[in-house]
Amino acid sequence: MIRIYKLVLAFLMIFWMIGCDQKPNLGAKTVHWDRDMCERCRMVLSDRRFSAQVVHPDTGKTYLFDDIGCAILWFKENKIDWADRAVIWVNDVKTTSWIDARKAFYDVENITPMAYGFGAHLDQASIAKGQEIIDFDEIKRRVIKIGK
């Protein structure tokens, strides 16, 4: 009986130690389109070209947004202390695949769910010639200035 108890205890300790070493999944999560709601404005995510996901870098918890502008204002309004470390995913406006928001290139002439107008692109070549191209830091500056 004591041997079984020790064996079970050893198994539980090994399982606990292995579980503690796992890092959270910081990748983009599956969105349930037309059902999941924006964390900030509570609108349903339906446009697969302009949504965003914010992933907590320590826990892997994902927050969904219908527009990158909502995500930026959510950070500010909720005083999120891990905002600079957050993993942020946005849809590529052309392919709808998830791309890193901080590395993306943005054009500014889109009709987006919350009318911020920013469309993310994986590379500059996919943005029409003559359009303004900005980066993530410029988007943050403009959204906070507007402050809808």
Side-chain angles (χ1 to χ4, degrees):
M1 182 69 168
I2 292 176
R3 287 182 88 181
I4 293 174
Y5 175 73
K6 286 182 181 180
L7 185 62
V8 168
L9 184 59
F11 176 75
L12 289 175
M13 287 181 69
I14 290 170
F15 184 71
W16 176 73
M17 288 172 32
I18 290 171
C20 289
D21 275 353
Q22 291 184 1
K23 294 181 181 176
N25 178 0
L26 302 179
K29 308 301 186 286
T30 300
V31 173
H32 301 99
W33 300 105
D34 300 316
R35 287 185 291 176
D36 288 338
M37 293 189 311
C38 176
E39 191 70 31
R40 179 176 180 266
C41 71
R42 308 313 291 167
M43 278 183 50
V44 173
L45 276 72
S46 58
D47 196 328
R48 290 153 176 81
R49 298 171 301 152
F50 301 109
S51 63
Q53 297 186 32
V54 171
V55 183
H56 191 296
D58 300 326
T59 65
K61 180 173 172 60
T62 300
Y63 303 87
L64 302 174
F65 300 90
D66 62 339
D67 195 305
I68 187 65
C70 277
I72 291 167
L73 289 176
W74 177 78
F75 281 126
K76 182 181 179 214
E77 292 165 354
N78 292 286
K79 298 175 178 66
I80 304 297
D81 61 351
W82 45 269
D84 290 339
R85 299 183 304 115
V87 176
I88 306 171
W89 298 101
V90 290
N91 293 113
D92 180 295
V93 72
K94 302 252 186 210
T95 67
T96 70
S97 60
W98 293 105
I99 59 176
D100 184 332
R102 296 181 198 278
K103 295 178 183 173
F105 299 92
Y106 297 86
D107 64 8
V108 298
E109 299 177 14
N110 299 280
I111 298 172
T112 64
M114 294 303 290
Y116 290 101
F118 306 114
H121 299 263
L122 183 60
D123 55 56
Q124 289 185 13
S126 67
I127 299 175
K129 190 173 183 172
Q131 285 196 22
E132 180 181 14
I133 301 171
I134 61 175
D135 64 10
F136 183 74
D137 290 332
E138 179 61 15
I139 286 181
K140 287 191 330 187
R141 190 188 69 72
R142 291 183 186 191
V143 168
I144 289 171
K145 183 178 179 181
I146 296 168
K148 291 185 197 180

